[in-house]
Amino acid sequence: MDLAPGSGRTPGNAVRDRAGDPDARWLTALMHAAFFLLLGASLTRFLLRHPGEARTPWIIALSVAIAVLYVIGPVLGSRPTPRSLVWLGVLVAVWMVLVVLAPSFAWCAVPLFFTGLRILPPRAALALVALLTLFVVAAQLRLADGFDPNLVLAPPAVAAVATAVFVHMQRQAVRQRELSERQRELIDDLLRTRRELAATERREGTLAERQRLSMEIHDTLAQGLSSQQMLLQAADRIWDADPATARRHVRTATGIAERNLAEARRFVHDLAPADLAEGGGLEAALHALAARETAQGQGRLTVRCHVEGERHTALPDRVQSALLRIAQGALANVKEHANATEAALTLTHLDDRVVLDIADNGQGFVPTERTGTAGSVRGHGLPAIRARLHQLGGTLTIESVPGEGTVLSAAVPLTATSPPSAPEDLV
């Protein structure tokens, strides 16, 4: 902020606004110390050079008066109030009388420059500095034996330097205040953005968890309940004609109910697949799934499981859980849609990825880019598989020909840290 006429703001306002600024406090303390040092030096010089003169009591009294007035100044504050303006006028008047009586007191004007700049409006402050400078020049010429250009030019130079230093300090204080305000605004914006981001992440996490739970329920409880319904309906139809087969259907439905109960309890515990919780890892869980589906098929569907390659590192729990759910969902689709008699689960461990293939010898279909999307005739199985793979950064490949069966291939990279922007599924 410039020390310009008509600015409507005094130089002291900036210092006052930055009352807690270390530079402002340091400058103020320095000016106070300089004033009393110059006042004491001037009085000492006068007493040593003019002992016993008639004006000596007046010089001492005026020195004490100006010291007391200067001490009172900070109590009145830096605002250009009527009291502070009267105080400044009296202070300057006493100093002028001192300079007239003893020119050696002229150099006390330097601290008074800062006092005037600190209190008065810009134009009035510059006028006071000019007036004080004239008195200093006049006092120096009185002390000199003759005319000395240095005594005429030095005081204005000192006044200019003092004014420049004060204006520079004032501008620095203003810049520091503005910088601090901008920093506070940036910090507030950052905190607000972090709160909004946290809220967004919570919402996205909630939606993702809902989607995951819906897929978990679809691949386990819903599929199991559907199988139970079909078995119980079949048992009801043949109960009178073939009681033994009907009881076998009921026993199979009971087994499925037990598995669903285990899954439900696992949901309550930690939502992990029950087969994985039994130990043995993904390979053992896939073998158990194949054996269970074969037993439930009662000769109509045989499921085999193969593991190829060797694991170099343990698969993350989320990858194992997702691949097991994918196998469950794919086999549920095989039983519901394919009319297949054989199916195979093949888990292949590669250096950079793990691949799960689900193949069947069913009726097949014509895969398209929209196969298995929401609302299609094939239900929710394939969209759920795609969503799981997308969360892991994996891909889904579907190969199928009508009458020749279907092969689903789910590949998950072992180095993926986050899903891609869009699923990279192939059909």
Side-chain angles (χ1 to χ4, degrees), residues 43-400:
L43 179 59
T44 301
R45 180 181 183 276
F46 176 83
L47 293 177
L48 291 175
R49 294 197 175 189
H50 307 280
E53 292 188 4
R55 55 179 174 166
T56 299
W58 289 100
I59 296 297
I60 296 174
L62 290 174
S63 297
V64 173
I66 198 172
V68 173
L69 286 171
Y70 196 88
V71 170
I72 295 174
V75 179
L76 300 177
S78 300
R79 296 179 180 276
T81 60
R83 288 196 304 172
S84 63
L85 293 177
V86 170
W87 166 82
L88 180 61
V90 174
L91 179 67
V92 172
V94 172
W95 173 81
M96 288 180 176
V97 173
L98 265 175
V99 172
V100 171
L101 295 176
S104 58
F105 285 87
W107 286 111
C108 293
V110 176
L112 295 181
F113 290 162
F114 286 91
T115 303
L117 290 168
R118 187 165 51 92
I119 295 177
L120 297 175
R123 288 185 177 180
L126 293 178
L128 177 62
V129 170
L131 177 63
L132 296 178
T133 303
L134 290 176
F135 261 77
V136 172
V137 171
Q140 294 300 308
L141 291 176
R142 284 179 57 191
L143 290 175
D145 296 334
F147 179 78
D148 187 349
N150 186 53
L151 298 179
V152 176
L153 299 177
V158 172
V161 171
T163 303
V165 169
F166 184 87
V167 171
H168 174 73
M169 296 292 294
Q170 169 228 340
R171 289 178 175 176
Q172 286 295 102
V174 172
R175 292 191 188 99
Q176 186 65 30
R177 184 186 70 248
E178 293 175 349
L179 178 61
S180 298
E181 291 176 353
R182 286 196 296 269
Q183 289 176 341
R184 283 195 296 271
E185 292 174 357
L186 289 175
I187 292 173
D188 292 341
D189 291 341
L190 177 60
L191 293 176
R192 182 170 58 255
T193 302
R194 289 182 61 182
R195 288 194 295 269
E196 293 174 354
L197 179 60
T200 301
E201 290 177 346
R202 284 195 296 271
R203 288 194 296 269
E204 291 179 351
T206 300
L207 293 176
E209 183 65 12
R210 288 178 179 175
Q211 182 183 20
R212 188 180 72 84
L213 286 175
S214 68
M215 292 187 295
E216 296 279 355
I217 294 172
H218 171 269
D219 293 341
T220 56
L221 300 181
Q223 294 292 349
L225 292 173
S226 177
S227 298
Q228 291 178 59
Q229 182 184 30
M230 290 188 295
L231 289 169
L232 293 175
Q233 289 175 346
D236 182 63
R237 287 195 299 269
I238 64 174
W239 189 269
D240 294 331
D242 191 354
T245 301
R247 291 188 181 91
R248 188 164 60 251
H249 288 337
V250 172
R251 287 193 294 271
T252 302
T254 301
I256 295 174
E258 291 176 354
R259 296 301 307 175
N260 278 4
L261 179 59
E263 290 286 358
R265 287 172 176 170
R266 180 54 52 189
F267 284 148
V268 174
H269 184 260
D270 59 2
L271 298 180
D275 288 328
L276 290 177
E278 293 174 357
L282 178 60
E283 293 84 352
L286 290 176
H287 280 291
L289 174 63
R292 185 166 62 252
E293 293 295 339
T294 298
Q296 294 176 2
Q298 299 179 354
R300 295 186 301 274
L301 177 64
T302 301
V303 182
R304 298 185 303 276
C305 180
H306 307 281
V307 178
E308 299 180 357
E310 296 182 0
R311 287 184 299 171
H312 299 286
T313 58
L315 294 177
D317 292 341
R318 62 194 300 260
V319 173
Q320 296 189 59
S321 178
L323 290 177
L324 179 58
R325 295 306 190 198
I326 288 172
Q328 292 173 334
L331 290 179
N333 279 351
V334 170
K335 291 189 296 183
E336 184 176 354
H337 301 292
N339 294 325
T341 59
E342 294 184 359
L345 302 175
T346 304
L347 182 67
T348 305
H349 294 283
L350 301 176
D351 292 337
D352 60 344
R353 64 186 183 278
V354 59
V355 181
L356 176 64
D357 296 320
I358 305 98
D360 67 75
N361 65 347
Q363 63 187 10
F365 62 96
V366 179
T368 65
E369 293 184 359
R370 295 185 60 80
T371 297
T373 55
S376 70
V377 296
R378 298 193 63 82
H380 299 282
L382 290 178
I385 292 174
R386 283 196 172 96
R388 290 184 188 279
L389 289 172
H390 177 47
Q391 292 174 355
L392 298 174
T395 58
L396 174 65
T397 302
I398 303 174
E399 298 177 1
S400 183

